[in-house]
Amino acid sequence: MGTRPKVHRSEVSRAIVMIAKRRARVDDRNRDRLPDSPSSDPREVLDYLQRFSGINVPRWVLQADVCDALTLNNWLWWEDRRRELHFLKAGRDRGLFLAQIGAQVGIGKQGVLDRIDRLEALLRYDRPDEKITRSARLSARRAQERRPAEEDWLSARRDEMLAVIAELLYEADRFGLLEEDREWLDELGIDARDGDFTPATMVILGLAAAELRTAPAILSLEGSRPYAVHGLLARVDGLRCAFAELSGTAGRGHRGPS
């Protein structure tokens, strides 16, 4: 199984807000129990969706909820990795025996060191709160803050990125997404026009894909086989997973202090 796509905090906030808007739109009778602040705990939102997703909720809402719920779940997966690394290193740095630490997670002494190494590599380029405003991205470009591996990856896939973005915008137009429902799709179009991609672009790519993926017109498509737009969204997910893989491959073989 490959690395999951990285999830930015803004994707979490968007998912929570969109879930709340949909439930309000269909007058969900349990709506008052749903945490709807952008800063709500994703776990509480997921608990709500598991508990209150019965036959009284329209099918398109349930489908969109699944898409956003998986974004929240991916965020929690990465958050668990950050937390585990923190406490493994904290235990080591505070003088606990490696065997004592390992016993609690089912690994030996060397396993603890290997686990720390793997998590450090996985999270090497992890920036869940990276600023993604246009001014911040321009500043990042001017300061040349991109790491070489990420810069090389984005440069090598520039044509593929441009093609995917063009297809996303085409599908958004074809399915008639309203202006208020395509904020990140249009922002992505500006990035494509500028032609200079940064790691923040990959975050925006995820936000734009979520706008398209959860659009009622997309969710209402019927048929025994996926439509072209579904293949396009799978390509977006593949690109984001491949970008996330940079974290897992960078610095392999490095041994941290023991």
Side-chain angles (χ1 to χ4, degrees):
M1 182 180 294
T3 302
R4 299 182 185 219
K6 292 282 182 67
V7 177
H8 189 271
R9 181 69 219 191
S10 61
E11 294 179 76
V12 175
S13 298
R14 179 204 172 274
I16 293 171
V17 168
M18 294 308 296
I19 289 168
K21 284 184 176 179
R22 283 193 297 270
R23 292 300 179 118
R25 179 176 173 183
V26 298
D27 196 23
D28 181 358
R29 63 189 180 192
N30 297 299
R31 172 72 178 75
D32 60 331
R33 305 189 190 187
L34 172 62
D36 57 4
S37 166
S39 59
S40 297
D41 185 343
R43 291 178 179 82
E44 294 182 0
V45 178
L46 291 173
D47 287 344
Y48 176 92
L49 293 180
Q50 283 188 283
R51 185 176 179 187
F52 300 111
S53 294
I55 59 175
N56 59 302
V57 181
R59 184 168 182 266
W60 75 268
V61 173
L62 296 177
Q63 290 177 325
D65 284 348
V66 168
C67 296
D68 286 331
L70 290 173
T71 294
L72 299 182
N73 204 59
N74 278 345
W75 165 267
L76 293 172
W77 187 89
W78 283 99
E79 187 68 10
D80 285 345
R81 305 289 83 72
R82 299 180 193 109
R83 188 177 293 111
E84 181 181 0
L85 176 61
H86 170 83
F87 284 109
L88 287 176
K89 293 176 69 174
R92 181 191 63 183
D93 296 343
R94 294 170 189 175
L96 290 173
F97 291 115
L98 294 179
Q100 183 180 357
I101 299 171
Q104 292 192 264
V105 291
I107 55 179
K109 292 191 295 184
Q110 186 60 46
V112 173
L113 296 176
D114 290 343
R115 183 66 177 166
I116 289 174
D117 274 357
R118 286 196 297 272
L119 288 171
E120 284 182 331
L122 180 69
L123 298 169
R124 190 174 303 277
Y125 298 143
D126 184 46
R127 295 188 292 275
D129 296 314
E130 181 175 32
K131 303 301 182 184
I132 62 172
T133 62
R134 179 148 299 278
S135 60
R137 280 143 54 208
L138 178 60
S139 175
R141 284 197 294 269
R142 288 174 174 171
Q144 295 182 338
E145 292 178 349
R146 282 177 283 182
R147 298 178 185 266
E150 292 178 319
E151 186 172 6
D152 291 346
W153 190 96
L154 290 165
S155 177
R157 289 162 178 78
R158 182 175 182 276
D159 289 346
E160 184 178 3
M161 289 280 292
L162 287 170
V164 165
I165 292 170
E167 290 185 48
L168 285 170
L169 295 175
Y170 169 77
E171 295 291 355
D173 290 340
R174 187 162 75 93
F175 284 98
L177 267 69
L178 300 177
E179 182 178 351
E180 60 266 28
D181 296 329
R182 50 180 295 164
E183 172 188 359
W184 294 107
L185 282 158
D186 291 338
E187 188 72 11
L188 194 61
I190 296 174
D191 267 20
R193 185 191 65 198
D194 292 346
D196 190 11
F197 299 131
T198 71
T201 304
M202 300 306 291
V203 177
I204 295 169
L205 183 63
L207 288 163
E211 288 179 332
L212 191 60
R213 194 191 316 271
T214 58
I218 303 297
L219 293 171
S220 65
L221 292 174
E222 297 289 348
S224 58
R225 295 183 179 180
Y227 285 73
V229 66
H230 299 131
L232 173 60
L233 290 169
R235 286 173 61 194
V236 171
D237 293 336
L239 280 170
R240 297 190 71 212
C241 287
F243 189 73
E245 285 280 2
L246 294 177
S247 300
T249 57
R252 280 182 179 167
H254 168 73
R255 169 70 62 201
S258 60

